[in-house]
Amino acid sequence: MKTHNFSAGPSILPQYTIDETIKGIQNFAGTGLSIMEVSHRSKECVAMFEEARGLFKELLNIPEGYTVLFLGGGASTQFLMVAMNLLNKKAAYLNTGAWANKALKEAKQFGEVIEVASSKDTVYNYIPKGYTIPTDADYFHITTNNTIYGTEIKYDMDCPIPLVADMSSDIFSRPVDVSKYDLIYGGAQKNLAPAGVTFVIIKNDILGKVERQIPTMLDYTTHIEGDTMFNTPPVLPVYAAYHTLNWLKNLGGVEVMQKMNEEKAAILYNEIDSNPMFKGTVLDKEDRSLMNICFVMEDEYKHLEKDFYEFATAKGMSGIKGHRSVGGFRASTYNALPKESVQALVDCMREFQKANS
Ligand SMILES: *Cc1c(COP(=O)(O)O)cnc(C)c1O
């Protein structure tokens, strides 16, 4: 039986990435050495890093004046690095979920933080709208895709002050107008690579404006000047990311990916909306994530949730349990998830509904 990987993160990677990474674990770039045992400063490794950074720039059409970094510490370390490097007096945050809230909390250690809007009142099942961004803040921080709740800001907003985005779970799922952002970051383990590397896309000229002393490793300047190799970077995850980026390029890039993601999401949302046994947790269609699709059972079938989970799991659906704060189900439909997996889940829902209604 085929296992369909709907895990929220770490999550499904292209088979190409896994196969090519295995080859490099055995013999990297003809060196006769494993990628796990070569110097990060060897010419082959430096070249691979440069290619990976080049693919980032090419696929996201990153303008001049930005640097791509591969760092350790996860997106969670970026919560504090962003504030430490950019927050002088005041920063503005949009509170769209647990990750956004954690970012906001970290920033409070470095200055005043304005929560411009929050959807906490309804367990973050929508993206707040109609708020005002304070123009005297140093930056505005958003989380474009809220992995736990299945909401997503699917467009690049106009922002009167520098815009910072956590794109951990929707990077490379659609074209992004990088020029509208001053900093974009994310953990790689949702759409790019195994856990262990964090990407940062940073506009060089936003740095150097805070007064505080920044510890060397937490200072973006260190990593920009060190060509993302100030210290030993997470070589193996970057290598896997390099293959994912090549896979994406060969597929036609982010425009093609976006169409595929829209198509997959439509299949599942249509089923959720039309199957009398299920309902979506995010009601405003505009806010629905293309990456994490959350649904529960209609009230009258609530008692069947555990049964459906077991039924679907037995049919090879892996990782569909919703986050404990939302309940129900969450199917993560990241870039690498094939349409066939979405169809298999829909078939499960139909079969279960027929058998139990
Ligand atoms: C997973 C996730 C994080 C946390 O990333 P780590 O790399 O584990 O620190 C942060 N933000 C979002 C939106 C996420 O999905």
Side-chain angles (χ1 to χ4, degrees), residues 150-196:
T151 62
E152 186 177 10
I153 301 169
K154 295 190 282 277
Y155 59 93
D156 305 306
M157 63 174 70
D158 293 313
C159 184
I161 55 176
L163 182 61
V164 175
D166 175 356
M167 293 198 187
S168 291
S169 52
D170 63 350
I171 190 74
F172 293 112
S173 67
R174 64 170 175 91
V176 171
D177 181 354
V178 175
S179 72
K180 289 196 165 174
Y181 302 82
D182 287 66
L183 196 151
I184 297 171
Y185 67 88
Q189 68 272 24
K190 312 284 167 50
N191 236 353
L192 207 53

Side-chain angles (χ1 to χ4, degrees), residues 173-242:
S173 67
R174 64 170 175 91
V176 171
D177 181 354
V178 175
S179 72
K180 289 196 165 174
Y181 302 82
D182 287 66
L183 196 151
I184 297 171
Y185 67 88
Q189 68 272 24
K190 312 284 167 50
N191 236 353
L192 207 53
V197 61
T198 314
F199 64 85
V200 178
I201 303 164
I202 184 168
K203 192 173 183 179
N204 301 329
D205 69 13
I206 58 164
L207 295 173
K209 292 177 187 164
V210 292
E211 285 147 21
R212 74 178 59 83
Q213 281 282 84
I214 302 174
T216 309
M217 274 299 284
L218 299 179
D219 189 340
Y220 288 120
T221 310
T222 302
H223 302 285
I224 293 173
E225 287 172 356
D227 273 334
T228 206
M229 285 202 186
F230 171 77
N231 71 321
T232 319
V235 174
L236 184 59
V238 170
Y239 185 58
Y242 162 76

Side-chain angles (χ1 to χ4, degrees), residues 73-77 79 99 143 145-147 166 168-169 187-190 198:
S76 299
T77 300
F79 297 165
W99 296 119
T143 310
N145 184 65
N146 299 284
T147 323
D166 175 356
S168 291
S169 52
Q189 68 272 24
K190 312 284 167 50
T198 314

Side-chain angles (χ1 to χ4, degrees), residues 2 5-6 13 54 64 71 76 124 153 168 172-173 191 199 209 219 226 277 289 316 322 331 339 357:
K2 185 174 163 40
N5 186 358
F6 292 98
L13 290 170
E64 288 294 303
L71 306 178
S76 299
Y124 298 114
I153 301 169
S168 291
F172 293 112
S173 67
N191 236 353
F199 64 85
K209 292 177 187 164
D219 189 340
M277 201 169 257
S289 171
K339 191 165 100 178
S357 58

Side-chain angles (χ1 to χ4, degrees), residues 56 73 80 109 112 127 132 137 163 190 204 217 248 260 302 349 352:
F56 251 80
L80 78 94
Q109 300 192 57
E112 187 189 343
I127 300 285
T132 309
L163 182 61
K190 312 284 167 50
N204 301 329
M217 274 299 284
L248 183 54
M260 292 168 76
K302 210 85 207 154
M349 292 164 77
F352 186 84

Side-chain angles (χ1 to χ4, degrees), residues 4-294:
H4 301 279
N5 186 358
F6 292 98
S7 173
S11 33
I12 187 163
L13 290 170
Q15 192 56 46
Y16 175 84
T17 298
I18 294 169
D19 293 343
E20 292 300 310
T21 304
I22 289 170
K23 285 184 204 161
I25 287 174
Q26 284 166 338
N27 182 358
F28 168 60
T31 57
L33 301 170
S34 169
I35 182 72
M36 298 191 292
E37 53 182 12
V38 293
S39 166
H40 57 293
R41 303 202 191 277
S42 66
K43 77 172 193 308
E44 292 83 2
C45 196
V46 168
M48 184 272 287
F49 265 64
E50 279 320 297
E51 275 186 59
R53 295 165 86 189
L55 284 163
F56 251 80
K57 291 192 171 160
E58 185 184 336
L59 288 165
L60 290 176
N61 204 6
I62 300 176
E64 288 294 303
Y66 286 75
T67 303
V68 177
L69 300 175
F70 299 128
L71 306 178
S76 299
T77 300
Q78 293 310 307
F79 297 165
L80 78 94
M81 271 179 82
V82 161
M84 195 177 240
N85 283 266
L86 305 180
L87 201 170
N88 233 339
K89 292 214 164 51
K90 187 156 108 178
Y93 278 70
L94 185 63
N95 185 2
T96 51
W99 296 119
N101 202 39
K102 280 186 180 163
L104 182 156
K105 240 175 94 184
E106 282 299 302
K108 284 185 178 165
Q109 300 192 57
F110 301 98
E112 187 189 343
V113 173
I114 312 283
E115 182 185 271
V116 298
S118 168
S119 47
K120 195 172 178 190
D121 54 336
T122 55
V123 200
Y124 298 114
N125 70 352
Y126 68 100
I127 300 285
K129 294 173 191 79
Y131 50 81
T132 309
I133 300 166
T135 52
D136 60 344
D138 296 319
Y139 62 87
F140 179 46
H141 180 282
I142 58 171
T143 310
T144 49
N145 184 65
N146 299 284
T147 323
I148 296 175
Y149 314 93
T151 62
E152 186 177 10
I153 301 169
K154 295 190 282 277
Y155 59 93
D156 305 306
M157 63 174 70
D158 293 313
C159 184
I161 55 176
L163 182 61
V164 175
D166 175 356
M167 293 198 187
S168 291
S169 52
D170 63 350
I171 190 74
F172 293 112
S173 67
R174 64 170 175 91
V176 171
D177 181 354
V178 175
S179 72
K180 289 196 165 174
Y181 302 82
D182 287 66
L183 196 151
I184 297 171
Y185 67 88
Q189 68 272 24
K190 312 284 167 50
N191 236 353
L192 207 53
V197 61
T198 314
F199 64 85
V200 178
I201 303 164
I202 184 168
K203 192 173 183 179
N204 301 329
D205 69 13
I206 58 164
L207 295 173
K209 292 177 187 164
V210 292
E211 285 147 21
R212 74 178 59 83
Q213 281 282 84
I214 302 174
T216 309
M217 274 299 284
L218 299 179
D219 189 340
Y220 288 120
T221 310
T222 302
H223 302 285
I224 293 173
E225 287 172 356
D227 273 334
T228 206
M229 285 202 186
F230 171 77
N231 71 321
T232 319
V235 174
L236 184 59
V238 170
Y239 185 58
Y242 162 76
H243 291 306
T244 303
L245 295 169
N246 273 308
W247 169 83
L248 183 54
K249 182 177 168 176
N250 292 336
L251 217 74
V254 284
E255 283 86 4
V256 172
M257 199 72 249
Q258 180 182 37
K259 285 213 176 69
M260 292 168 76
N261 286 330
E262 281 169 354
E263 198 189 336
K264 284 186 288 180
I267 294 171
L268 187 49
Y269 281 123
N270 283 342
E271 184 62 23
I272 290 167
D273 291 338
S274 61
N275 188 315
M277 201 169 257
F278 299 92
K279 64 177 178 187
T281 58
V282 178
L283 303 177
D284 193 338
K285 294 197 171 153
E286 190 187 314
D287 295 346
R288 284 178 162 182
S289 171
L290 300 186
M291 296 282 103
N292 311 95
I293 300 180
C294 296

